[in-house]
Amino acid sequence: MLTIDKQYAERDTLYKFSRSIGLPTRLADIHAKAEDLAKVTAKALVGIDVRVYSYTVTEQMIVDGIMELEAYDEKMR
């Protein structure tokens, strides 16, 4: 959601912390692939995080955010 909201500084901090303690930071870390995005997105859309936003979070927004984060992760490795 930080990527979707373009809160890059906070995203980058959380990303680095997550990697430092071994939390997942990319699809492969949760044994998923780009072709699994429909399932990943469906699960994300029922999560509490997307229900508390003041705007509607769409499947495409999540897909775009995940793909942007995947590219960021690739650059950081």
Side-chain angles (χ1 to χ4, degrees):
M1 291 307 299
L2 294 171
T3 300
I4 291 169
D5 286 337
K6 301 190 182 337
Q7 295 180 35
Y8 298 121
E10 191 170 346
R11 186 244 0 233
D12 296 352
T13 299
L14 184 57
Y15 171 86
K16 290 173 188 171
F17 174 74
S18 295
R19 286 224 31 220
S20 76
I21 62 170
L23 291 175
T25 58
R26 59 185 177 161
L27 289 172
D29 293 343
I30 59 170
H31 309 289
K33 300 175 184 164
E35 51 269 18
D36 299 320
L37 278 180
K39 291 178 187 175
V40 172
T41 301
K43 186 169 183 157
L45 283 172
V46 297
I48 189 76
D49 291 346
V50 297
R51 290 183 280 165
V52 297
Y53 277 77
S54 60
Y55 55 86
T56 301
V57 177
T58 67
E59 181 177 338
Q60 190 60 52
M61 289 167 69
I62 294 174
V63 168
D64 291 347
I66 290 171
M67 295 313 295
E68 185 176 338
L69 189 55
E70 287 286 296
Y72 177 77
D73 181 83
E74 190 68 32
K75 182 176 79 171
M76 297 303 291
R77 288 187 181 264

